[in-house]
Amino acid sequence: EVQLVESGGGLVQPGGSLRLSCAVSGFTFSDHYMDWVRQAPGKGLEWVGRSRHKGYSYTTEYAASVKGRFTISRDDSENSLYLQMNSLKTEDTAVYYCIRDAPDRDGYYFDYWGRGTLVTVSS
Amino acid sequence: DIQMTQSPSSLSASVGDRITITCRASRGIGNYLAWFQQTPGKAPKSLIYAASSLQSGVPPRFSGSASGTDFTLTISSLQPEDFATYYCQQYNDYPLTFGGGTKVEIK
């Protein structure tokens, strides 16, 4: 069974940092692209960023709203995905979801979602 | 960025009704289009990818179609567990973008 379990959320002050983790099981993590998506309270879904697998040198993509502040990394030996969030702003308050991707022609779609972890940025 | 415009933003329907939700992309996305379902307090669930391919385990009452830059999600006979918010998303180009969501409520 595919499982993705996020952790590391919590309350942080504006300007602070937080590191989210996503522990996966039930599939070969190293074979998959992975994404982070967030959802502010009462709002829609917003893509945060993507990690490609080793075959693409673990390269990453980011939304403009987080580029330069957030960093996605992964440890294939630990079956874990990470989201390092620096210089946090109140507008980063959201539930953060970890997502497994699957290939579709030249693209990658989301197929499994974690349950999410809440990040609250407030003084 | 590719804008995804979803309509309606909400609708009321009864169990057994057939409903259709529409998503329009601001430019061609080559059918790199997915649909998700989210119930309150839960994580989104993947329903459809490549505009019309059902994810494993999704009931066949759900279907997707495409015509140019217009995409539709149809539920042929609404069940109680289908009352939720639905989102479309394009994965043709970065940044990946979502529609604003359609909330399906009980009439």
Side-chain angles (χ1 to χ4, degrees), chain A residues 35 39 44-45 47 50 52 61 97 104-111 113-114, chain B residues 30-32 36 38 42-44 46 49-50 55 87 89 91 94-96 98:
Chain A
D35 283 69
Q39 186 170 37
L45 301 169
W47 175 71
R50 167 167 285 175
R52 298 183 180 90
E61 302 284 347
Y97 296 103
D104 167 30
R105 297 166 286 164
D106 294 331
Y108 287 80
Y109 64 94
F110 302 164
D111 67 347
W113 297 62
Chain B
N31 286 5
Y32 290 101
F36 306 97
Q38 187 177 34
K42 296 290 185 68
S46 298
Y49 66 96
Q55 291 272 9
Y87 294 93
Q89 179 239 343
Y91 53 97
Y94 299 105
L96 308 184
F98 290 88

Side-chain angles (χ1 to χ4, degrees), chain A residues 4-13 16-23 34-50 62-63 65-67 69-72 81-100 110 112-122, chain B residues 38 41-44 98:
Chain A
L4 303 94
V5 179
E6 302 91 338
S7 61
L11 175 63
V12 60
Q13 292 188 337
S17 298
L18 209 58
R19 188 195 196 205
L20 305 184
S21 299
C22 173
M34 300 289 295
D35 283 69
W36 289 97
V37 163
R38 67 184 181 183
Q39 186 170 37
K43 302 297 184 182
L45 301 169
E46 179 188 17
W47 175 71
V48 172
R50 167 167 285 175
Y62 296 96
S65 58
V66 306
K67 195 169 186 178
R69 299 188 299 123
F70 289 13
T71 301
I72 297 174
L81 180 74
Y82 304 102
L83 180 64
Q84 177 67 44
M85 304 185 293
N86 298 331
S87 303
L88 282 160
K89 307 175 182 180
T90 55
E91 53 264 40
D92 294 319
T93 294
V95 174
Y96 285 73
Y97 296 103
C98 170
I99 298 162
R100 188 187 87 163
F110 302 164
Y112 284 94
W113 297 62
R115 293 186 176 184
T117 187
L118 176 62
V119 172
T120 303
V121 184
S122 175
Chain B
Q38 187 177 34
K42 296 290 185 68
F98 290 88

Side-chain angles (χ1 to χ4, degrees), chain B residues 1 10 27 41:
Chain B
D1 298 2
S10 66
R27 60 175 171 87

Side-chain angles (χ1 to χ4, degrees), chain B residues 39-105:
Chain B
T39 52
K42 296 290 185 68
K45 173 187 174 183
S46 298
L47 296 176
I48 286 172
Y49 66 96
S52 60
S53 296
L54 256 59
Q55 291 272 9
S56 174
V58 173
R61 64 180 180 273
F62 291 91
S63 63
S65 65
S67 177
T69 57
D70 292 338
F71 301 86
T72 58
L73 171 69
T74 299
I75 307 175
S76 60
S77 178
L78 267 176
Q79 298 302 299
E81 61 268 29
D82 300 338
F83 291 94
T85 300
Y86 294 85
Y87 294 93
C88 63
Q89 179 239 343
Q90 66 81 19
Y91 53 97
N92 178 72
D93 196 11
Y94 299 105
L96 308 184
T97 48
F98 290 88
T102 296
K103 186 173 184 179
V104 177
E105 299 175 301

